Amino acid sequence: MIGNIDNLLNLSNDIFHKKELKPVFAQISCIAQYLWDRGWAERNAGNFSINVTGYFNDKELDRLSAYPFFPLSRTYPDLANSLFLVSGTGTRMREMAKNATENVCFIYIGDSGSAYHIIVENPAGELAGPTSELPTHLSIQQQLLQKKASEKVVLHAHVTELIALTQLMPYTSEVAVNSLLWGMHPETLLFLPDGVGFIPFTLPGTDHIAMATLKGFERHKVVLWEKHGCMAVGNSISEAFDNIDILAKSAKIYFLCKSIGIEPEGLSNVQLKAIHDTLPGWFDKFMI
Ligand code: 13P
Ligand code: ZN
C-alpha cells in the first residue's frame, strides 16, 4: 500500500468525496465566503480545524497511515487516531469559498499523538501542509475532547473590529473588554454569557500562543488575540462564525458611536441583570 500512488489517489478520492462530508464542505465554502466578504480574511488570513473522526470507521482510519508522516512539536495523547479537516497554510478564504477540497487537507494523528499523516486531495501533486496555527488548533481540539464538549470546530479569523478594539489600552484586559462588548448589544450577553478570553500579543504559530489560548478556552467560546484576531469554537463552522460575528457587531456599534464623537452609554447593570435573569447565576458570577 505505502508508496503506491494509485492506491493513495483512490483513497484520497474516497475520503474527500465521502457523501456524509458533503454538507461540511458546503458549509466551509459558505463561511469562507462570509469571512472574505467581511474583510476578516485578507491574503491567507484565517484558518480552521474540524474533528471529523466520527465520520469514519476504524478500518477506514487505519488505512490513513499510508500517507506521509510528520512530527508534531508537542504530543497530543488524547488526539491519537483522530482525523481533522484543516485549512491549508497559505490558502486564501476567497479561494476556499470557490473550491474547498483544493484548499484543505486532512491530518490523521498517529498512535502516539506525536506525529501526523497529511492527506491531500491529489497525492501526486504538491504536498500542501496544514495551517501554521496547528499547535493552537490541536491544543484546543484536545481540550474539547478532554472536557467532553460538543464542539468540533475551531475557527481563526482576523476580525477587523475586534483587532481594533485590542489596540485600545483601556480594553486590553478580559474584564474591561467583556464589559464593553456586553454593554453594546443585548445579544452579546445572551449568546456569549461567559464572554471572551483575552491573550496579550504573542508570536503566532507557536506552542506559546497555543498554551496561552488554552487558558482562555477553559471558560470561553471565543478568545481574542491582541493586535491579531480571534479564535472561536462551535459545533459547526457556521456556529463558530456566529460567535465571532456577534462580538464584531458589538465592537462595530462602539466604533460607530465613537466615530461621530459620542462615548456610547452601554447597557446599565440593571439592564444587563434584566437580560440575564433568564440565565441563572450569571450576574453573581460576573458583576461586582
Ligand atoms: P495560515 O495560512 O498558515 O493558516 O496562517 C494564517 C493566519 O491567520 C496565521 O495566524
Ligand atoms: Zn492569524
Side-chain angles (χ1 to χ4, degrees), residues 167-203:
Q167 291 279 353
L168 308 180
M169 263 311 282
Y171 300 113
T172 52
S173 78
E174 215 167 279
V175 172
V177 82
N178 279 307
S179 164
L180 178 87
L181 291 167
W182 281 326
M184 289 301 106
H185 198 264
E187 306 285 299
T188 313
L189 193 56
L190 278 177
F191 291 109
L192 293 168
D194 294 330
V196 295
F198 179 87
I199 309 298
F201 184 80
T202 308
L203 206 59

Side-chain angles (χ1 to χ4, degrees), residues 2-182:
I2 298 177
N4 185 329
I5 198 70
D6 287 334
N7 281 340
L8 289 187
L9 277 166
N10 287 337
L11 188 47
S12 287
N13 191 55
D14 291 351
I15 296 159
F16 275 83
H17 299 284
K18 195 172 177 66
K19 190 170 66 59
E20 292 78 6
L21 282 179
K22 265 195 178 357
V24 177
F25 276 112
Q27 212 175 76
I28 288 172
S29 290
C30 173
I31 298 303
Q33 184 67 48
Y34 289 166
L35 291 169
W36 171 250
D37 290 345
R38 292 280 212 284
W40 298 348
E42 77 287 352
R43 200 176 183 276
N44 62 310
N47 38 65
F48 57 82
S49 63
I50 307 176
N51 188 338
V52 291
T53 316
Y55 289 87
F56 296 85
N57 61 38
D58 288 349
K59 211 170 137 211
E60 288 172 309
L61 292 174
D62 266 358
R63 297 166 72 201
L64 304 179
S65 315
Y67 287 91
F69 203 40
F70 299 88
L72 286 160
S73 55
R74 282 183 58 233
T75 301
Y76 303 87
D78 297 274
L79 299 185
N81 307 115
S82 297
L83 183 63
F84 297 92
L85 183 46
V86 178
S87 54
T89 186
T91 57
R92 273 56 170 167
M93 287 297 167
R94 61 177 188 265
E95 300 299 333
M96 185 80 69
K98 284 187 237 152
N99 191 340
T101 59
E102 274 182 14
N103 290 282
V104 298
C105 59
F106 286 83
I107 63 165
Y108 179 55
I109 314 286
D111 285 339
S112 63
S114 62
Y116 63 98
H117 301 272
I118 298 181
I119 300 118
V120 288
E121 192 180 24
N122 177 11
E126 221 172 278
L127 191 68
T131 170
S132 57
E133 303 293 0
L134 196 62
T136 300
H137 281 274
L138 293 184
S139 299
I140 301 168
Q141 292 284 3
Q142 177 164 267
Q143 188 186 52
L144 290 171
L145 280 182
Q146 288 166 344
K147 288 200 288 193
K148 297 192 184 351
S150 58
E151 287 92 354
K152 299 265 182 273
V153 178
V154 179
L155 175 65
H156 168 59
H158 293 183
V159 181
T160 322
E161 299 85 341
L162 295 174
I163 299 169
L165 207 54
T166 71
Q167 291 279 353
L168 308 180
M169 263 311 282
Y171 300 113
T172 52
S173 78
E174 215 167 279
V175 172
V177 82
N178 279 307
S179 164
L180 178 87
L181 291 167
W182 281 326

